[in-house]
Amino acid sequence: MTTTGLRVNHLRKTFRGGSVVACQDVNLDIEQGELLVLLGPSGCGKTTTLRCIAGLERPDNDDAIWLNGTNITRVPPKDRNLAFVFQDTALFPHLNVRRNISFGLDMRKALPQDDIKRRVDEVGKLLQVGHLLERSAHELSGGQGQRVALGRAIVMEPAAFLLDEPLANLDAALRVEMRTEIKLIQRKLDTTMIFVTHDQEEALTLGDKIAVMKDGLVQQVDSARNIYLRPANLFVGTFIGSPPINQFPCTLKTEGDTLMLCSSSFTLPLPPAIAKVLVDKNCAELTLGIRPEFIQITESGAAAESIPGKVQLTELLGSRTLIYVAVGDTEYRVLVQGDSAVKEGDNVHLSVQLEKAFYFDQNGNNALPATG
Ligand code: ATP
């Protein structure tokens, strides 16, 4: 058991006499000072995991939650020294910002009033709400309210912050601004933080580490880079990335010294290093996953291994263009930087960057997982 940080150890949490399994077997290690993002689709068990850490839900097993080497699974929430920030700020509307921020410290009655005032002033400055301290909470904008909710947690100087979709109620521009701020504050305070979201962009930009969950199980805990470029399985590969990956069911065939990857729309020679892994792992059938930006498009005179197709549709996505190309009955999504000269009806050639593709075996696991 690690002696610093938070550990979630085989967490199991069921509801309704065991008929609803929210967390099957969740395992997480969050080092002191680390920001971990819990990401996954609705209902996968993110909030339940966070609530179990906070002590607001009672895990089925007695050794599920550890803080700094101590089993806190049955410790009451108020004695855990963890701060929870929800989507709904739950500020006291009739109290001013100062009283909202100091509320927890006032209740604890452990500090003299002067010290509380000093801490609130510091936090107000850190969160840029110093000029609002005397204003009533009901007079704040959404972003200001969320800062105050964060301030209320920060003054308590908790061992870790637990944030459950804290930005969900904010408009898009403010979300982007606030998530940068949260990251900067987390760095400045050098504090442990778990941040729950179902928004992959938020997760990829925020987290030192991202834990992707599905059906009450953690699918992969990794850096944003590895989650994106080396997903552990087909679920992570398809859940992360917008527009989503292309998927092609494939078989393997040997031609002379070369292992060929065959789908209904292409037959391509595999790079030797990848071929070796697939042979070693006995992969006869697999699903090739390829991100749209790793397929190149050429208008004519393509290289020998390119795939001929016809452009069906183009969509300008701001700085990039998404191009749908039909190859027989198969549709390819191709993403190019900037505007594209190709238009509907053009005959094009596609070139798939096989060394950047994902090779999912029959169980959906990536045959070439991240190694570090
Ligand atoms: P969302 O992103 O929608 O908030 P989530 O990943 O946070 O989803 P949870 O809220 O943890 O998911 O819920 C996981 C599962 O447990 C869901 O099927 C949910 O319906 C169920 N669940 C959660 N709380 C309870 C409860 N108090 N009673 C019964 N079932 C519950």
Side-chain angles (χ1 to χ4, degrees), residues 146-166:
Q146 205 47 268
R147 277 170 220 255
V148 174
L150 210 55
R152 193 168 50 178
I154 292 172
V155 281
M156 302 303 288
E157 298 183 352
F161 291 88
L162 311 174
L163 281 70
D164 191 0
E165 306 238 14

Side-chain angles (χ1 to χ4, degrees), residues 15-16 20-22 40-49 57 165 198:
F15 294 102
R16 297 178 174 268
V20 176
V21 182
S42 186
C44 71
K46 306 179 294 293
T47 294
T48 305
T49 300
E57 298 288 357
E165 306 238 14
H198 62 264

Side-chain angles (χ1 to χ4, degrees), residues 162-291:
L162 311 174
L163 281 70
D164 191 0
E165 306 238 14
L167 311 180
N169 287 341
L170 306 182
D171 67 48
L174 201 52
R175 280 180 82 130
V176 172
E177 188 186 317
M178 282 294 292
R179 77 176 176 226
T180 308
E181 264 183 48
I182 286 180
K183 191 166 176 160
L184 289 173
I185 288 165
Q186 186 268 342
R187 293 274 189 278
K188 208 176 221 170
L189 299 176
D190 189 26
T191 184
T192 311
M193 191 178 272
I194 307 182
F195 188 107
V196 163
T197 181
H198 62 264
D199 179 334
Q200 49 158 310
E201 190 187 311
E202 197 157 273
L204 290 171
T205 50
L206 255 182
D208 295 333
K209 258 189 351 198
I210 299 172
V212 182
M213 288 185 69
K214 179 196 172 212
D215 297 339
L217 287 171
V218 176
Q219 304 290 308
Q220 183 173 5
V221 186
D222 222 322
S223 63
R225 188 185 160 76
N226 276 348
I227 293 270
Y228 188 77
L229 294 173
R230 291 291 183 93
N233 57 36
L234 189 55
F235 172 78
V236 177
T238 49
F239 186 70
I240 304 286
S242 174
I245 59 166
N246 294 279
Q247 291 180 48
F248 306 110
C250 291
T251 53
L252 297 173
K253 176 174 85 181
T254 307
E255 273 182 17
D257 287 344
T258 308
L259 191 64
M260 306 297 287
L261 185 67
C262 313
S263 80
S264 61
S265 60
F266 60 73
T267 299
L268 296 170
L270 277 167
I274 294 173
K276 182 174 181 328
V277 175
L278 299 181
V279 169
D280 287 350
K281 294 198 171 176
N282 267 331
C283 288
E285 288 177 16
L286 50 86
T287 300
L288 183 81
I290 177 110
R291 297 218 173 275

Side-chain angles (χ1 to χ4, degrees), residues 14-233:
T14 56
F15 294 102
R16 297 178 174 268
S19 62
V20 176
V21 182
C23 300
Q24 282 194 56
D25 181 10
V26 175
N27 292 286
L28 294 168
D29 268 314
I30 306 110
E31 302 283 328
Q32 156 60 32
E34 196 168 54
L35 167 54
L36 176 96
V37 177
L38 264 186
L39 173 70
S42 186
C44 71
K46 306 179 294 293
T47 294
T48 305
T49 300
L50 208 65
R51 289 175 60 82
C52 285
I53 296 171
L56 303 174
E57 298 288 357
R58 185 183 165 89
D60 294 8
N61 52 321
D62 282 335
D63 57 350
I65 312 295
W66 295 69
L67 180 64
N68 297 333
T70 305
N71 183 355
I72 58 163
T73 313
R74 300 293 180 235
V75 172
K78 67 176 177 47
D79 299 330
R80 292 188 182 203
N81 195 21
L82 299 172
F84 211 104
V85 181
F86 301 93
Q87 174 176 336
D88 172 7
T89 57
L91 297 178
F92 299 109
H94 56 287
L95 296 184
N96 66 14
V97 168
R98 178 179 291 285
R99 282 299 315 282
N100 266 285
I101 294 179
S102 68
F103 192 80
L105 289 179
D106 292 337
M107 289 290 108
R108 204 187 260 175
K109 295 192 170 80
L111 283 181
Q113 277 304 315
D114 279 357
D115 288 355
I116 294 180
K117 180 174 181 310
R118 190 178 34 78
R119 266 208 216 177
V120 173
D121 287 341
E122 277 169 17
V123 167
K125 212 160 130 195
L126 178 75
L127 293 167
Q128 298 167 29
V129 291
H131 59 296
L132 300 173
L133 289 176
E134 308 313 322
R135 199 183 272 189
S136 286
H138 70 82
E139 294 171 316
L140 302 176
S141 70
Q144 290 166 340
Q146 205 47 268
R147 277 170 220 255
V148 174
L150 210 55
R152 193 168 50 178
I154 292 172
V155 281
M156 302 303 288
E157 298 183 352
F161 291 88
L162 311 174
L163 281 70
D164 191 0
E165 306 238 14
L167 311 180
N169 287 341
L170 306 182
D171 67 48
L174 201 52
R175 280 180 82 130
V176 172
E177 188 186 317
M178 282 294 292
R179 77 176 176 226
T180 308
E181 264 183 48
I182 286 180
K183 191 166 176 160
L184 289 173
I185 288 165
Q186 186 268 342
R187 293 274 189 278
K188 208 176 221 170
L189 299 176
D190 189 26
T191 184
T192 311
M193 191 178 272
I194 307 182
F195 188 107
V196 163
T197 181
H198 62 264
D199 179 334
Q200 49 158 310
E201 190 187 311
E202 197 157 273
L204 290 171
T205 50
L206 255 182
D208 295 333
K209 258 189 351 198
I210 299 172
V212 182
M213 288 185 69
K214 179 196 172 212
D215 297 339
L217 287 171
V218 176
Q219 304 290 308
Q220 183 173 5
V221 186
D222 222 322
S223 63
R225 188 185 160 76
N226 276 348
I227 293 270
Y228 188 77
L229 294 173
R230 291 291 183 93
N233 57 36

